[in-house]
Amino acid sequence: MTVKSVVGRALRETGVALKKSGGVEFFTRHRPIMTFYGEKPFKTNDTFVAPSASVIGKVTNWDESSVWYGAVVRADSGHSIEIGFSSNVQDGAVVTTLPENATLETGFPPNTHIGHYVSVGAGSVLVSCRVDDLVSIGDKCTILEGSLIESNTMLEPGSVVLPYSRIPSGQKWGGNPAKYIADLTIAEKEAIKSNAEKTFQQAWEHLREFLPVGNTYVHLEELERKGVQTQQG
């Protein structure tokens, strides 16, 4: 880290500290849904996108899907991302695609497809892959381009699925690189759908707390009623 960056950071932090000590509070106008090059994300009325999440570009969020706090779904390279019915992208996960001019060795377009009743664990990263219905992806997993995750499968937390890998239906995989562990039991298969449905029920409670147009102005009005000086952050 250079002296210039250290000094700059110190000055910024000092300024913030002085403003806070003087009673100034900050509010943000972060946009969870962002149009990019004319491509606006599609979501239904019962899709939950957390206020701190970012859904950008050519993204389709189907019914009862949810994108949680700090997650990023970024389709800004001309390739699409689809999140299926009752699927969820949990806190801090990133779903994206390859760059604009990239191609897959398979010949298919480098889109990212997430099927129905899929749970993408917190901190996971998905890039130009296909995840079929009824899949449970553990926290901090990485699924790279060209990979196919078939239905009724589970990935252990921290798993890394290498490019152009295939995980067959009905199996549990884990490790780096991901390898076969065992066949799923009937109870484990049933739990995949059940957990996705429970996540939506939780998302619905969060959805009801936020107005469709956002609630930033509510925070601002509360601060102004208190006579607090405000500044957009």
Side-chain angles (χ1 to χ4, degrees):
M1 187 177 290
T2 65
V3 173
K4 182 178 179 180
S5 63
V6 172
V7 173
R9 180 177 178 181
L11 290 172
R12 286 194 301 273
E13 292 180 351
T14 301
V16 170
L18 289 171
K19 288 179 179 179
K20 285 186 176 180
S21 65
V24 176
E25 293 203 34
F26 289 81
F27 67 97
T28 179
R29 294 190 184 278
H30 170 73
R31 291 183 293 165
I33 304 292
M34 192 176 97
T35 300
F36 192 86
Y37 283 151
E39 296 284 357
K40 181 179 180 179
F42 170 82
K43 71 181 189 72
T44 64
N45 290 334
D46 56 0
T47 296
F48 170 64
V49 177
S52 60
S54 297
V55 178
I56 303 166
K58 198 174 182 180
V59 180
T60 299
N61 298 274
W62 289 113
D63 304 73
E64 300 187 6
S65 60
S66 55
V67 180
W68 289 81
Y69 299 90
V72 176
V73 181
R74 183 163 60 91
D76 58 354
S77 61
H79 309 303
S80 65
I81 296 175
E82 183 174 5
I83 301 173
F85 177 85
S86 202
S87 292
N88 57 83
V89 178
Q90 296 171 19
D91 306 71
V94 175
V95 180
T96 187
T97 67
L98 291 176
E100 181 177 1
N101 297 320
T103 58
L104 293 177
E105 295 175 5
T106 58
F108 291 105
N111 302 325
T112 299
H113 172 83
I114 297 173
H116 309 312
Y117 299 106
V118 174
S119 295
V120 178
S124 293
V125 177
L126 279 65
V127 182
S128 291
C129 57
R130 181 179 179 88
V131 181
D132 286 340
D133 302 342
L134 296 162
V135 174
S136 176
I137 300 170
D139 294 348
K140 297 183 178 179
C141 287
T142 301
I143 305 177
L144 296 175
E145 67 272 11
S147 297
L148 170 61
I149 314 298
E150 295 185 356
S151 61
N152 287 297
T153 55
M154 297 180 70
L155 280 178
E156 291 285 289
S159 300
V160 176
V161 180
L162 298 179
Y164 304 102
S165 299
R166 170 179 168 264
I167 296 183
S169 177
Q171 296 182 357
K172 179 190 297 183
W173 284 49
N176 181 9
K179 295 181 180 180
Y180 170 79
I181 296 176
D183 289 345
L184 293 185
T185 64
I186 293 176
E188 286 174 325
K189 291 179 180 179
E190 292 175 347
I192 294 174
K193 183 176 181 180
S194 174
N195 289 337
E197 291 174 333
K198 288 177 181 176
T199 301
F200 168 69
Q201 292 302 322
Q202 186 178 21
W204 182 249
E205 296 299 322
H206 286 253
L207 181 63
R208 295 196 302 177
E209 292 295 319
F210 299 101
L211 300 174
V213 295
N215 67 341
T216 302
Y217 77 92
V218 177
H219 182 206
L220 178 59
E221 288 176 350
E222 290 177 353
L223 295 175
E224 290 176 342
R225 278 197 299 270
K226 295 177 182 177
V228 177
Q229 183 183 352
T230 60
Q231 177 173 325
Q232 182 175 339

